[in-house]
């Protein structure tokens, strides 16, 4: 029995939440569907931990779906990189769901809650599927599973504010255009190579050499995934979707959705196209690098002028995605390590911050910064969590944000790109301004008259503080994350170097 | 036709790819330019259909028949894999359209219109209108 489970871990990772999702819808009202969804995410997380432990030493798990031979059938391939991303996704889910019960009860009518948790499980399924699969078309299918579930989740914010509907609609239009671009790109690659398996693609692309079809394929995939991961200036769907989605959904999406898309980008750029593919290197440095730097500044400046806390954090996410993309464009091992480590660090920090915003919504009924005056005295623990998370966003030492920025600056200096290093630090200063606005409102401004605000319930505070705790723990003791990220980066580089050298 | 510098065989031999390009650009243009939410979905569908055509075209083998096993061993078959992929993509496209239409129904119920500019006006009023709570998620 145990060996059977062990042999099928990669399949279980995806199948478990997939099968659980419809069951969840049948459980009916009350807390049963929530408890069931929680249980499922805990087991899913356990599977991810097992996969991570198995691949940490460097083994690559190759799982044949349905027993078909590999280039023909769908392969699930787990290596250090995607085991790390799987851990981020399922870990965030396992922390966000316990948090979700109270805030979902406040934001979504009781008879809809089973369906809400069903969509949540489907979203987790899709994101895990994107990450674990080794088949290009399968990525598209899972991308759409997670996206369709996400549109429904974002739209379920309409019980609170009807603008969630238009936000979900816009996300749907842009997301579908992005996914379709991705399919066109995959089609181009299939035209050249006749295969969809990522590892097989990598070998055959090198055999066929550079061509205009390959370049078109690369560009379509870059733009398609760029839409999904909110690469500046393709980010327009993100602020409203994050601001009007139910708070638990925002916390989960901010931690995982864009991260899974970044993973796909990494996988395509460095496993499929290869590290030394010249057209890619040029595109990254001439197009993506300037866009990433603009995102760091433009999105941070826009964030400064937001009054809605969730919207502010959403713009800050766009800036943070800029940092992740910037690390990619260095095309060095340190740069990649910075990107991968920031995937984890930003997931932890942003999930915690959006959870704080959810606590504010529950207790104060608002997350408008101008109405949060004096909330630091009424909700000391929640606000303290925001302060620590905010410091991590800025990148102060002893927080995870510092580790990411450290690696980024290091990577920039390695190449001698000191203007870029200066810009990384300058954009961090902008983060100080928008974080300070909230802290000022929370501690220095008087509370509005006649408002009663209670501290958030423990079921919400504990998950928030676990995220905050992680962001400090891995800020002080960065060995585990940065080693894992470094190993993942070197594995990516090694595999593609071998290919293009011939 | 070579004296005109136009290779007609090149153009006509790839007419399905030209149609793919035209349909794709048409669909994308409708999605971006139309303000009516339903028309945007129509544009999206045309855009997706164009991609189906691209995949079906690349599965074509000259002289090949439909990929159904025949008794004759030397039969040339078209490549069935793109067809199967597109079956999946069609299902995904239908699901997307269904979700989009459901959203439009809900938008119509809440806003009373499906014209983008009118919705934007209403949302602007919500943000900056008389005494409206600015940026407040709890309406």
């Amino acid at each position: 029995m145990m060996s059977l489970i062990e042999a099928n871990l990669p399949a279980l990772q995806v199948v478990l939440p997939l099968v659980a999702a419809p069951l969840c819808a049948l459980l009916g009202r009350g807390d049963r569907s929530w408890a069931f969804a929680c249980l499922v995410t805990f087991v899913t997380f356990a599977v991810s931990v097992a996969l991570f432990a198995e691949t940490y030493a460097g083994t690559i798990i190759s799982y044949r779906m349905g027993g078909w031979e590999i280039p023909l059938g769908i392969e699930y391939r787990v290596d250090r990189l995607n085991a790390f991303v799987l851990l981020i996704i399922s870990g965030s889910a396992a922390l966000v769901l316990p948090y979700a019960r109270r805030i979902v009860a406040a934001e979504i009518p009781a008879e809809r809650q089973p369906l809400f948790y069903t969509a949540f499980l489907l979203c987790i399924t899709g994101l895990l599927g994107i990450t674990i699969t080794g088949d290009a078309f399968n990525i598209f299918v899972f991308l759409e599973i997670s996206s369709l579930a996400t549109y429904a989740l974002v739209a379920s914010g309409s019980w609170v504010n009807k603008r969630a509907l238009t936000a979900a609609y816009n996300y749907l239009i842009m997301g579908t255009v992005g996914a379709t671009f991705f399919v066109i790109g995959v089609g181009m690659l299939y035209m050249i190579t006749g295969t969809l398996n990522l590892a097989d693609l990598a070998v055959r692309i090198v055999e066929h050499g550079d061509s205009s079809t390959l370049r078109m394929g690369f560009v379509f995939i870059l733009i398609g995934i760029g839409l999904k991961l909110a690469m500046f200036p393709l980010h327009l769907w993100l602020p409203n979707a994050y601001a009007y989605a139910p708070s638990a959904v925002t916390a989960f999406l901010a931690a995982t959705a864009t991260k899974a898309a970044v993973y796909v980008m990494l996988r395509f750029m460095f496993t499929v196209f290869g590290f030394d593919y010249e057209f890619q290197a040029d595109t990254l440095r001439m197009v993506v690098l300037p866009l990433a730097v603009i995102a760091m500044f433009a999105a941070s400046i826009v964030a400064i002028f937001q009054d809605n806390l969730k919207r502010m954090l959403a713009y800050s996410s766009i800036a943070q995605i800029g940092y992740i993309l910037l690390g990619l464009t260095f095309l060095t091992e340190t740069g990649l390590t910075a990107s991968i480590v920031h995937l984890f660090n930003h997931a932890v920090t942003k999930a915690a911050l959006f959870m704080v915003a959810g606590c504010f919504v529950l207790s104060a009924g608002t997350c408008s910064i101008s109405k949060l005056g004096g909330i630091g005295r009424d909700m000391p623990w929640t606000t303290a969590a925001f302060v620590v998370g905010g410091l991590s966003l800025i990148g102060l030492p002893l927080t995870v944000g510092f580790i990411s920025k450290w690696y980024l600056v290091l990577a920039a200096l390695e190449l001698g790109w000191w203007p870029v290093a200066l810009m990384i630090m300058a954009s961090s200063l902008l983060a100080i301004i928008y974080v300070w606005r909230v802290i000022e409102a929370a501690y220095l401004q008087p509370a509005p008259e006649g408002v009663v605000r209670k501290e958030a319930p423990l079921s919400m505070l504990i998950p928030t503080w676990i995220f905050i705790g992680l962001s400090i723990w891995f800020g002080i003791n960065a060995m585990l994350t940065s080693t894992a990220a470094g190993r993942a980066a070197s594995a990516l580089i090694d595999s593609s170097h071998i290919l293009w050298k011939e | 036709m070579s004296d005109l510098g136009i290779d007609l065989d090149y153009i006509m031999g790839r007419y399905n790819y030209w149609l793919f390009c035209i349909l794709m650009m048409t669909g994308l243009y409708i999605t971006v330019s139309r303000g009516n939410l339903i028309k945007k979905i129509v544009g999206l569908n045309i855009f997706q259909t164009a991609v189906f055509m691209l995949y079906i075209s690349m599965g074509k083998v000259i002289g090949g028949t439909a990929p159904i096993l025949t008794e004759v061993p030397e039969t040339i078959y078209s490549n069935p894999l793109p067809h199967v992929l597109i079956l999946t993509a069609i299902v995904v496209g239908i699901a997307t359209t269904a979700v989009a239409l459901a959203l439009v129904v809900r938008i119509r119920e809440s806003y009373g219109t499906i014209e983008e500019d009118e919705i934007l006006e209403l949302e602007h009023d919500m943000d900056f209108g008389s005494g409206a709570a600015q940026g407040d998620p709890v309406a």
Side-chain angles (χ1 to χ4, degrees):
Chain A
M1 184 63 189
M2 268 324 276
S3 64
L4 193 68
I5 291 177
E6 229 178 289
N8 290 302
L9 274 182
L12 279 177
Q13 178 81 92
V14 178
V15 170
L16 213 70
L18 182 67
V19 173
L23 292 180
C24 191
L26 297 175
L27 283 176
R29 286 185 187 208
D31 283 342
R32 264 177 302 171
S33 54
W34 167 77
F36 180 67
C38 266
L39 184 73
V40 173
T41 49
F42 291 157
V43 180
T44 316
F45 180 57
V47 175
S48 300
V49 172
L51 284 174
F52 183 75
E54 214 173 319
T55 52
Y56 189 70
T59 25
I60 294 172
I61 306 173
S62 170
Y63 180 84
R64 288 178 295 170
M65 208 55 173
W68 294 89
E69 281 309 313
I70 270 179
L72 297 177
I74 290 171
E75 181 192 13
Y76 278 14
R77 198 181 173 84
V78 191
D79 62 7
R80 285 163 175 161
L81 174 62
N82 54 3
F84 189 60
V85 181
L86 288 173
L87 204 64
I88 296 175
I89 294 171
S90 60
S92 311
L95 277 174
V96 169
L97 265 175
Y99 163 93
R101 191 177 73 101
R102 291 291 296 271
I103 186 81
V104 167
E107 286 181 334
I108 289 169
E111 72 272 15
R112 304 282 176 166
Q113 284 173 20
L115 289 175
F116 174 85
Y117 289 116
T118 304
F120 208 103
L121 285 177
L122 282 175
C123 185
I124 297 169
T125 308
L127 294 172
L128 291 172
I130 294 170
T131 315
I132 203 170
T133 187
D135 182 276
F137 200 80
N138 210 218
I139 291 181
F140 163 70
V141 175
F142 279 120
L143 204 60
E144 284 306 78
I145 290 177
S146 73
S147 299
L148 285 172
T150 310
Y151 308 145
L153 287 173
V154 171
S156 66
S158 67
W159 304 108
V160 178
N161 186 331
K162 63 180 177 181
R163 295 183 66 170
L165 293 171
T166 45
Y169 181 87
N170 286 332
Y171 185 11
L172 184 142
I173 296 288
M174 294 213 189
T176 309
V177 170
T180 313
F181 266 59
F182 176 74
V183 181
I184 297 175
V186 171
M188 303 271 175
L189 298 188
Y190 181 73
M191 273 176 162
I192 303 172
T193 60
T195 181
L196 290 167
N197 183 295
L198 293 180
D200 202 25
L201 264 175
V203 179
R204 296 207 196 177
I205 280 178
V206 179
E207 278 170 15
H208 286 84
D210 198 6
S211 66
S212 55
T213 318
L214 187 67
R215 293 182 176 196
M216 285 311 290
F218 169 74
V219 171
F220 271 116
I221 289 174
L222 177 71
I223 295 175
I225 298 299
L227 265 163
K228 288 279 182 191
L229 63 77
M231 176 171 85
F232 185 89
L234 306 171
H235 65 275
L236 293 170
W237 56 268
L238 189 141
N240 276 346
Y242 279 17
Y244 299 116
S247 306
V249 174
T250 312
F252 179 65
L253 288 184
T256 56
T258 46
K259 310 296 173 295
V262 169
Y263 160 76
V264 177
M265 187 99 130
L266 280 170
R267 184 57 87 195
F268 265 92
M269 289 190 168
F270 300 117
T271 302
V272 175
F273 290 104
F275 210 69
D276 303 335
Y277 179 37
E278 217 169 288
F279 178 69
Q280 168 176 282
D282 289 346
T283 315
L284 284 180
R285 291 202 166 151
M286 309 296 280
V287 182
V288 178
L289 177 95
L291 289 179
V293 173
I294 295 172
M296 279 155 41
F297 282 94
S300 299
I301 290 170
V302 177
I304 292 172
F305 294 101
Q306 297 302 316
D307 182 57
N308 182 330
L309 179 61
K310 278 161 104 181
R311 230 178 131 82
M312 182 199 96
L313 292 173
Y315 274 106
S316 146
S317 274
I318 297 166
Q320 300 291 323
I321 288 163
Y323 290 120
I324 296 176
L325 289 176
L326 186 68
L328 276 182
T329 61
F330 291 147
L331 291 171
T332 60
E333 193 171 333
T334 324
L336 265 184
T337 308
S339 282
I340 297 169
V341 89
H342 198 46
L343 276 186
F344 174 83
N345 294 346
H346 179 236
V348 168
T349 309
K350 225 8 124 27
L353 287 173
F354 272 116
M355 283 170 143
V356 169
C359 293
F360 285 159
V361 170
L362 185 74
S363 298
T366 177
C367 64
S368 160
I369 295 171
S370 54
K371 290 184 184 160
L372 290 178
I375 203 154
R377 289 183 287 278
D378 294 340
M379 302 172 68
W381 284 100
T382 316
T383 318
F386 186 89
V387 174
V388 181
L391 292 181
S392 172
L393 210 56
I394 297 165
L396 239 59
L398 300 186
T399 62
V400 285
F402 175 72
I403 306 292
S404 318
K405 299 237 163 95
W406 171 262
Y407 274 108
L408 263 180
V409 171
L410 208 66
L413 291 179
E414 250 177 30
L415 289 170
W417 294 0
W418 56 267
V420 178
L422 278 181
M423 279 191 268
I424 294 167
M425 293 185 231
S427 64
S428 303
L429 295 178
L430 292 172
I432 297 178
I433 303 176
Y434 59 73
V435 170
W436 172 251
R437 283 188 56 222
V438 182
I439 295 176
E440 190 203 1
Y443 288 110
L444 302 181
Q445 282 173 13
E449 298 277 320
V451 185
V452 187
R453 293 177 293 203
K454 286 203 304 278
E455 180 60 278
L458 275 183
S459 69
M460 294 169 75
L461 267 184
I462 291 173
T464 311
W465 273 95
I466 291 178
F467 271 124
I468 292 291
L470 286 175
S471 76
I472 296 175
W473 171 261
F474 288 114
I476 296 170
N477 181 6
M479 279 312 286
L480 180 65
T481 45
S482 47
T483 318
R487 284 186 176 188
S490 67
L492 266 182
I493 293 172
D494 286 349
S495 63
S496 53
H497 264 319
I498 297 163
L499 290 169
W500 281 90
K501 248 172 201 166
E502 290 153 25
Chain B
M1 294 303 282
S2 56
D3 50 332
L4 284 176
I6 301 170
D7 189 346
L8 212 62
D9 280 347
Y10 181 83
I11 296 172
M12 292 311 292
R14 288 164 179 76
Y15 68 92
N16 39 356
Y17 291 101
W18 295 115
L19 278 176
F20 154 69
C21 289
I22 295 166
L23 271 182
M24 186 185 113
M25 299 315 290
T26 314
L28 204 53
Y29 178 73
I30 295 172
T31 310
V32 175
S33 66
R34 294 297 103 172
N36 185 306
L37 300 189
I38 297 280
K39 287 182 183 169
K40 272 179 188 286
I41 299 174
V42 173
L44 208 59
N45 279 330
I46 295 175
F47 178 51
Q48 286 178 320
T49 312
V51 180
F52 303 160
M53 212 158 112
L54 172 76
Y55 268 76
I56 301 295
S57 303
M58 68 173 99
K60 173 71 182 162
V61 174
I62 292 171
T65 70
I68 302 166
L69 267 181
T70 57
E71 298 299 312
V72 196
E74 56 265 23
T75 320
I76 300 169
Y77 299 109
S78 284
N79 182 355
L81 184 66
H83 300 181
V84 180
L85 296 181
I86 282 319
L87 271 181
T88 316
I90 289 172
V91 175
V92 170
I94 290 170
T96 313
T97 312
V99 174
L101 288 174
L103 279 173
V104 173
V105 170
R106 290 288 312 279
I107 290 173
R108 173 78 171 73
E109 284 170 5
S110 321
Y111 287 81
T113 174
I114 54 165
E115 292 295 332
E116 199 174 32
D117 42 0
E118 290 172 24
I119 291 171
L120 284 177
E121 219 166 272
L122 285 171
E123 291 191 337
H124 190 265
D125 282 351
M126 285 161 71
D127 277 351
F128 307 107
S130 48
Q134 185 189 340
D136 193 342
V138 182

